[in-house]
């Protein structure tokens, strides 16, 4: 990786991806992604399975290391330090510090099965940010109420529905007070009747001004909540614009073909 002529992004940008490439062995999954997510923006990313959407999301918080290009989050170069014209990998401890600004919600809930909902939400602030337990408990209580689970503090994950578990996972991510939230198809593992409660929670976050990048197949959510919509296929951004424009009058043939199957 070498220096970029563009330098660091402007202060109104939360995420800047510049010519991002990612390969797994010989398989090139991302083939030059250029995107900017502004502060307070909800960007929805759609596309067929295998198009690179989830990989790109994981690259944003350096869960996957990119092979070329640059990724900035909140003004910081993710995973690297620049010295002169070259980039050097950060130590894992430094990357972990960067990730604290980024909340991520996965398809699967990844809750600690032996902990209550309250304990799941408290854990990271106490262990990672050294928040006193009393304060962490108060904050976790507020967050569970915020996601509509104020009466489920003492429940363990196996006592909750899939939708409730996902809302606990959202509360857990918010407990770290992130500047950015990433959602990797957060409703895809849910029964259809449980999807709405998770989407409603995400809509509330959007209304509160949270910057969000959402990989989703919920086109109604993208149309209603998204500020921008990105269609990816075969590791590239095929088309991007407002949800109304991309969904209502797509310009690219590949976008039209995809939307004809999902709308």
């Amino acid at each position: 990786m070498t220096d970029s002529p563009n330098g660091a992004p402007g202060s109104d940008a939360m995420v800047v991806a510049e010519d991002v490439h990612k390969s797994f062995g010989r398989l090139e999954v991302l083939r030059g992604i250029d995107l900017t997510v502004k502060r307070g923006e909800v960007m929805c990313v759609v596309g067929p399975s295998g198009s690179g959407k989830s990989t790109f999301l994981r690259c944003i918080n350096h869960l996957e290391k990119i092979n070329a290009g640059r990724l900035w989050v909140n003004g910081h170069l993710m995973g690297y330090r620049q010295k002169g014209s070259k980039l050097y990998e950060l130590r894992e401890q430094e990357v972990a510090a960067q990730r604290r600004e980024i909340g991520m919600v996965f398809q699967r809930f990844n809750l600690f099965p032996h902990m209550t909902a309250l304990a799941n939400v408290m854990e990271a602030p106490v262990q990672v940010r050294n928040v006193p337990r009393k304060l962490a408990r108060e904050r976790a209580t507020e967050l569970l109420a915020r996601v509509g689970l104020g009466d489920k503090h003492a429940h363990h994950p196996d006592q909750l529905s899939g939708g409730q578990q996902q809302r606990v996972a959202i509360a857990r991510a918010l407990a770290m007070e992130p500047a950015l939230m990433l959602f990797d198809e957060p409703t895809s593992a849910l029964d259809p009747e449980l999807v709405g409660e998770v989407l409603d929670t995400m809509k509330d976050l959007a209304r509160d001004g949270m910057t969000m990048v959402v990989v989703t197949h919920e086109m109604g959510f993208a149309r209603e909540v998204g500020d921008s919509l990105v269609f990816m296929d075969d590791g590239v951004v095929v088309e991007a614009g407002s949800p109304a424009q991309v969904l209502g009058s797509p310009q690219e043939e590949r976008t039209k073909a995809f939307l004809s199957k999902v709308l």
Side-chain angles (χ1 to χ4, degrees):
M1 290 190 179
T2 55
D3 189 22
S4 156
N6 295 343
S11 60
D12 64 334
M14 178 62 75
V15 180
V16 175
E18 182 184 279
D19 196 28
V20 169
H21 290 253
K22 174 63 184 177
S23 297
F24 295 99
R26 294 184 179 180
L27 178 63
E28 194 173 16
V29 179
L30 300 178
R31 301 188 297 122
I33 302 293
D34 292 290
L35 283 176
T36 298
V37 184
K38 294 181 180 177
R39 295 181 188 278
E41 179 179 352
V42 178
M43 176 180 283
C44 294
V45 184
V46 303
S49 178
S51 59
K53 310 182 302 294
S54 293
T55 297
F56 175 62
L57 211 64
R58 292 171 65 85
C59 287
I60 291 176
N61 64 1
H62 208 63
L63 286 176
E64 298 290 354
K65 298 178 183 179
I66 62 177
N67 300 114
R70 297 284 191 89
L71 264 169
W72 287 271
V73 175
N74 208 12
H76 303 294
L77 198 58
M78 276 304 295
Y80 298 91
R81 167 188 302 110
Q82 180 171 323
K83 193 170 183 180
S85 63
K86 293 188 177 180
L87 298 182
Y88 299 88
E89 269 194 66
L90 296 178
R91 297 191 302 272
E92 185 56 39
Q93 188 175 6
E94 295 171 303
V95 174
Q98 288 186 325
R99 286 200 191 110
R100 291 176 197 170
E101 295 192 351
I102 306 170
M104 187 160 184
V105 178
F106 300 87
Q107 295 178 36
R108 298 289 174 182
F109 325 121
N110 298 328
L111 298 176
F112 297 115
H114 62 290
M115 291 185 178
T116 64
L118 187 70
N120 264 283
V121 177
M122 288 175 56
E123 182 71 4
V126 170
Q127 298 298 331
V128 179
R129 287 196 182 274
N130 296 315
V131 174
R133 293 193 71 83
K134 185 176 182 225
L135 284 178
R137 179 181 294 274
E138 290 172 1
R139 174 71 172 147
T141 300
E142 292 170 5
L143 287 169
L144 286 172
R146 182 178 178 182
V147 300
L149 296 174
D151 59 343
K152 304 293 185 186
H153 294 182
H155 287 62
H156 286 75
D158 64 0
Q159 298 172 301
L160 301 172
S161 71
Q164 290 169 334
Q165 290 184 60
Q166 192 61 297
R167 284 186 282 154
V168 173
I170 292 172
R172 180 177 62 179
L174 292 173
M176 291 294 284
E177 300 184 352
L180 169 69
M181 286 285 284
L182 307 176
F183 292 87
D184 187 8
E185 299 208 28
T187 61
S188 64
L190 301 178
D191 292 333
E193 67 269 21
L194 302 177
V195 167
E197 61 192 48
V198 174
L199 294 181
D200 285 344
T201 297
M202 294 169 66
K203 290 174 187 175
D204 287 341
L205 289 181
R207 281 191 287 268
D208 288 346
M210 175 63 73
T211 309
M212 298 160 60
V213 183
V214 184
V215 171
T216 185
H217 59 273
E218 301 288 344
M219 298 299 165
F221 175 86
R223 190 189 300 274
E224 179 184 349
V225 182
D227 297 301
S228 59
L229 182 66
V230 172
F231 171 61
M232 284 181 64
D233 189 32
D234 198 23
V236 299
V237 174
V238 177
E239 190 163 350
S242 70
Q245 179 253 303
V246 176
L247 296 177
S249 54
Q251 303 300 301
E252 302 294 331
E253 290 303 318
R254 182 66 190 93
T255 315
K256 293 176 186 176
F258 172 76
L259 292 176
S260 71
K261 295 173 184 173
V262 298
L263 289 179

